[in-house]
Amino acid sequence: RTLGLATSDLALMAPAQIASAIQQRASRAGYHLVIAMRGQHSAADTVNELLAQRVDALMINLPLAVEEAEQIQTLCGDKPVIFMDVDPEANVAQCQYSNARGARAAVEHLVALGHRQIGLLNGPAQAISARLREAAWRAALAAHQLTPCCVLQGDWSAQSGYQAMLQQLPDRLPQALLVANDQMALGAMRALHQHGVAIPAQMSIVGYDDTAESAWYQPPLTTVRQDLQALGETCVETLLARLQDEAPPQRVLEPALVQRATTA
Ligand code: IPT
């Protein structure tokens, strides 16, 4: 009785915290968990590595476009498989938070505070979640007749957020910034601190994820919460239900804005 998890880099906070929740829930159900991390391999190779270990069902936390996801679904044959980081248009079973609703909630929060110049520090272009967060940021700005200003890009790491922010300093700063994940927000805040830019007095910041550390930033981070524990548990429970031919759990996964101290 084995479940497989194909995952993005576990050095990143969100995938690590999701994997931890999955491991705990699987072991509570008496299942063994095998993890394959993508690294330099293709998504298909990573999934084949799990299939070679005869897993009963698979969770795929790899950023995948429609065709890639459907290919992997085919690769898995009749084994239950669930996708966690996929284009919602793909015709595959999914368990994920809406990036569109999360990014929109962040922009609405900043607009309600009176900000008109709202920049974006996005994740890598290959990541479907980054592309969807950017599209929703643009759509929400347009809905308020605001024009996009300042699009920066990192690779999800704190270091990349720091470097991207340094490029805008000292004086090319928007009034507010949506950062596509909390780790990059950590780095961006460090760059702003070094230049004496007060958060939130001179610039508001909203992160994305609400990882376990985010309440401990200085100041504590306002962010879009994806409950990573609930996500991991729901994925495992959905697979278990399919293995036992039962109805999957009816849990709604909704991102929610958590207001802390980096926005004003
Ligand atoms: C997504 C995180 O929001 C982001 O911070 C980064 O860690 C990324 O994963 C890594 O792939 S969450 C994912 C389930 C869309």
Side-chain angles (χ1 to χ4, degrees), residues 40-75:
Q40 300 308 311
H41 309 285
S42 71
D45 284 351
T46 313
V47 170
N48 276 323
E49 204 180 309
L50 294 174
L51 291 170
Q53 300 186 65
R54 307 189 162 277
V55 297
D56 299 301
L58 300 90
M59 289 160 274
I60 316 291
N61 185 12
L62 299 173
L64 298 173
V66 173
E67 315 77 59
E68 295 173 302
E70 292 173 355
Q71 279 161 12
I72 285 183
Q73 169 112 306
T74 309
L75 211 59

Coordinates of all heavy atoms in Angstrom, one line a residue, residues 40-75:
Q40 N 16.5 17.9 -12.3 CA 16.8 18.2 -13.7 C 16.0 17.3 -14.7 O 16.1 17.4 -15.9 CB 18.3 18.1 -14.0 CG 19.2 19.0 -13.2 CD 18.8 20.5 -13.3 OE1 18.5 21.0 -14.4 NE2 18.6 21.1 -12.2
H41 N 15.3 16.3 -14.1 CA 14.6 15.4 -15.0 C 13.3 16.0 -15.6 O 12.8 17.0 -15.1 CB 14.1 14.1 -14.2 CG 15.2 13.5 -13.4 ND1 16.2 12.8 -14.0 CD2 15.5 13.6 -12.1 CE1 17.1 12.4 -13.0 NE2 16.7 12.8 -11.9
S42 N 12.8 15.3 -16.6 CA 11.5 15.8 -17.1 C 10.4 15.3 -16.2 O 10.6 14.4 -15.3 CB 11.3 15.2 -18.5 OG 11.0 13.8 -18.4
A43 N 9.2 15.9 -16.3 CA 8.1 15.5 -15.5 C 7.8 14.1 -15.7 O 7.5 13.3 -14.8 CB 6.9 16.4 -15.8
A44 N 7.8 13.6 -17.0 CA 7.5 12.2 -17.3 C 8.5 11.3 -16.7 O 8.1 10.2 -16.1 CB 7.5 12.0 -18.8
D45 N 9.8 11.6 -16.7 CA 10.8 10.8 -16.0 C 10.5 10.7 -14.5 O 10.7 9.6 -13.9 CB 12.2 11.3 -16.3 CG 12.7 11.0 -17.7 OD1 12.0 10.3 -18.4 OD2 13.7 11.6 -18.0
T46 N 10.2 11.8 -13.9 CA 9.9 11.8 -12.5 C 8.7 10.9 -12.2 O 8.8 10.1 -11.2 CB 9.6 13.3 -12.1 OG1 10.6 14.1 -12.6 CG2 9.6 13.4 -10.5
V47 N 7.7 10.9 -13.0 CA 6.5 10.1 -12.7 C 6.9 8.6 -13.0 O 6.5 7.7 -12.2 CB 5.4 10.6 -13.6 CG1 4.2 9.6 -13.6 CG2 4.9 12.0 -13.2
N48 N 7.7 8.4 -14.0 CA 8.1 7.0 -14.3 C 8.9 6.4 -13.1 O 8.8 5.2 -12.9 CB 8.9 6.9 -15.6 CG 8.0 6.8 -16.8 OD1 7.0 6.2 -16.8 ND2 8.4 7.5 -17.9
E49 N 9.7 7.2 -12.5 CA 10.4 6.8 -11.3 C 9.5 6.2 -10.2 O 9.7 5.2 -9.6 CB 11.2 8.0 -10.8 CG 12.4 7.7 -10.0 CD 13.1 9.0 -9.5 OE1 13.3 9.9 -10.4 OE2 13.3 9.1 -8.3
L50 N 8.3 6.9 -10.1 CA 7.3 6.4 -9.1 C 6.6 5.2 -9.6 O 6.4 4.2 -8.8 CB 6.3 7.5 -8.9 CG 6.7 8.8 -8.2 CD1 5.6 9.8 -8.2 CD2 7.2 8.5 -6.8
L51 N 6.3 5.1 -10.9 CA 5.6 4.0 -11.4 C 6.5 2.7 -11.3 O 6.0 1.6 -11.0 CB 5.2 4.2 -12.9 CG 4.1 5.3 -13.0 CD1 3.9 5.7 -14.5 CD2 2.7 4.8 -12.5
A52 N 7.8 2.9 -11.5 CA 8.7 1.8 -11.3 C 8.7 1.2 -9.9 O 9.1 0.1 -9.7 CB 10.1 2.2 -11.7
Q53 N 8.3 2.0 -9.0 CA 8.2 1.5 -7.6 C 6.9 1.0 -7.2 O 6.6 0.8 -6.0 CB 8.7 2.6 -6.7 CG 10.1 3.0 -7.0 CD 10.7 4.0 -6.0 OE1 10.9 3.7 -4.8 NE2 11.0 5.2 -6.5
R54 N 6.0 0.8 -8.2 CA 4.7 0.1 -8.0 C 3.8 0.8 -7.0 O 3.2 0.2 -6.2 CB 4.9 -1.3 -7.6 CG 5.8 -2.1 -8.6 CD 5.8 -3.6 -8.3 NE 6.3 -4.3 -9.5 CZ 5.6 -4.6 -10.5 NH1 4.3 -4.3 -10.5 NH2 6.1 -5.3 -11.5
V55 N 3.7 2.1 -7.1 CA 2.8 2.9 -6.3 C 1.4 2.6 -6.7 O 1.1 2.2 -7.9 CB 3.1 4.4 -6.3 CG1 4.5 4.7 -5.8 CG2 2.9 4.9 -7.7
D56 N 0.4 2.7 -5.8 CA -1.0 2.4 -6.1 C -1.7 3.6 -6.7 O -2.7 3.5 -7.4 CB -1.7 1.9 -4.8 CG -1.1 0.7 -4.2 OD1 -1.1 -0.3 -5.0 OD2 -0.6 0.7 -3.1
A57 N -1.2 4.8 -6.3 CA -1.9 6.0 -6.8 C -0.9 7.2 -6.7 O 0.1 7.1 -5.9 CB -3.1 6.3 -5.9
L58 N -1.1 8.2 -7.5 CA 0.0 9.3 -7.5 C -0.6 10.7 -7.3 O -1.7 11.0 -7.8 CB 0.6 9.2 -8.9 CG 1.4 8.0 -9.3 CD1 0.4 7.1 -10.1 CD2 2.6 8.3 -10.2
M59 N 0.2 11.5 -6.7 CA 0.0 13.0 -6.6 C 1.1 13.7 -7.4 O 2.3 13.4 -7.2 CB 0.0 13.4 -5.1 CG -1.1 12.9 -4.3 SD -0.8 12.9 -2.5 CE 0.0 11.3 -2.4
I60 N 0.7 14.6 -8.2 CA 1.7 15.3 -9.0 C 1.7 16.8 -8.7 O 0.9 17.6 -9.1 CB 1.3 15.2 -10.5 CG1 0.9 13.7 -10.9 CG2 2.4 15.6 -11.4 CD1 2.0 12.7 -10.8
N61 N 2.7 17.2 -7.9 CA 2.9 18.6 -7.6 C 4.0 19.2 -8.4 O 5.1 19.5 -7.9 CB 3.1 18.8 -6.1 CG 3.2 20.3 -5.7 OD1 2.8 21.2 -6.6 ND2 3.7 20.6 -4.6
L62 N 3.8 19.2 -9.8 CA 4.7 19.7 -10.7 C 3.9 20.7 -11.6 O 2.8 20.4 -11.9 CB 5.3 18.6 -11.6 CG 6.0 17.5 -11.0 CD1 6.3 16.4 -12.0 CD2 7.3 18.0 -10.3
P63 N 4.5 21.9 -11.9 CA 3.8 22.8 -12.7 C 3.6 22.3 -14.1 O 4.6 22.0 -14.8 CB 4.7 24.1 -12.7 CG 6.0 23.6 -12.3 CD 5.9 22.4 -11.5
L64 N 2.4 22.1 -14.6 CA 2.1 21.4 -15.9 C 1.1 22.2 -16.7 O 0.1 22.6 -16.2 CB 1.7 20.0 -15.6 CG 2.6 19.1 -14.9 CD1 1.9 17.7 -14.6 CD2 3.9 18.8 -15.7
A65 N 1.4 22.3 -18.0 CA 0.4 22.9 -18.9 C -0.5 21.7 -19.3 O -0.3 20.6 -19.0 CB 1.2 23.4 -20.1
V66 N -1.6 22.1 -20.1 CA -2.6 21.2 -20.4 C -2.1 19.8 -21.0 O -2.4 18.8 -20.5 CB -3.7 21.8 -21.3 CG1 -4.7 20.8 -21.8 CG2 -4.4 23.0 -20.7
E67 N -1.3 20.0 -22.1 CA -0.9 18.8 -22.8 C 0.0 17.9 -21.9 O -0.1 16.7 -21.9 CB -0.1 19.1 -24.1 CG -0.7 20.2 -25.0 CD -0.5 21.6 -24.4 OE1 0.7 21.9 -24.3 OE2 -1.5 22.3 -24.1
E68 N 1.0 18.6 -21.2 CA 1.9 17.8 -20.3 C 1.1 17.0 -19.3 O 1.4 15.8 -19.0 CB 2.8 18.8 -19.6 CG 3.7 19.6 -20.4 CD 4.5 20.6 -19.6 OE1 3.8 21.5 -19.0 OE2 5.7 20.5 -19.5
A69 N 0.1 17.6 -18.7 CA -0.7 16.9 -17.7 C -1.5 15.7 -18.3 O -1.5 14.6 -17.7 CB -1.7 17.9 -17.0
E70 N -2.0 16.0 -19.5 CA -2.8 14.9 -20.1 C -1.9 13.7 -20.5 O -2.3 12.6 -20.4 CB -3.6 15.4 -21.2 CG -4.7 16.3 -20.6 CD -5.6 17.1 -21.7 OE1 -5.3 17.0 -22.9 OE2 -6.5 17.8 -21.2
Q71 N -0.6 14.0 -20.9 CA 0.3 13.0 -21.2 C 0.6 12.1 -20.0 O 0.7 10.9 -20.0 CB 1.6 13.6 -21.7 CG 1.6 13.9 -23.2 CD 2.7 14.9 -23.6 OE1 3.6 15.1 -22.9 NE2 2.5 15.4 -24.8
I72 N 0.8 12.8 -18.9 CA 1.2 12.1 -17.6 C 0.0 11.3 -17.1 O 0.2 10.1 -16.7 CB 1.6 13.1 -16.6 CG1 3.1 13.6 -17.0 CG2 1.6 12.6 -15.2 CD1 3.8 14.5 -16.1
Q73 N -1.2 11.8 -17.3 CA -2.4 11.0 -17.0 C -2.4 9.7 -17.8 O -2.6 8.6 -17.2 CB -3.6 11.8 -17.4 CG -4.9 11.1 -17.3 CD -5.8 11.6 -16.2 OE1 -5.3 11.7 -15.1 NE2 -6.9 12.0 -16.6
T74 N -2.0 9.8 -19.1 CA -2.0 8.6 -19.9 C -0.9 7.6 -19.4 O -1.1 6.4 -19.3 CB -1.7 9.0 -21.4 OG1 -2.6 10.0 -21.7 CG2 -1.8 7.8 -22.3
L75 N 0.2 8.2 -19.1 CA 1.4 7.4 -18.5 C 0.9 6.6 -17.3 O 1.4 5.4 -17.1 CB 2.4 8.4 -18.1 CG 3.9 8.1 -18.2 CD1 4.3 7.7 -19.6 CD2 4.7 9.3 -17.7

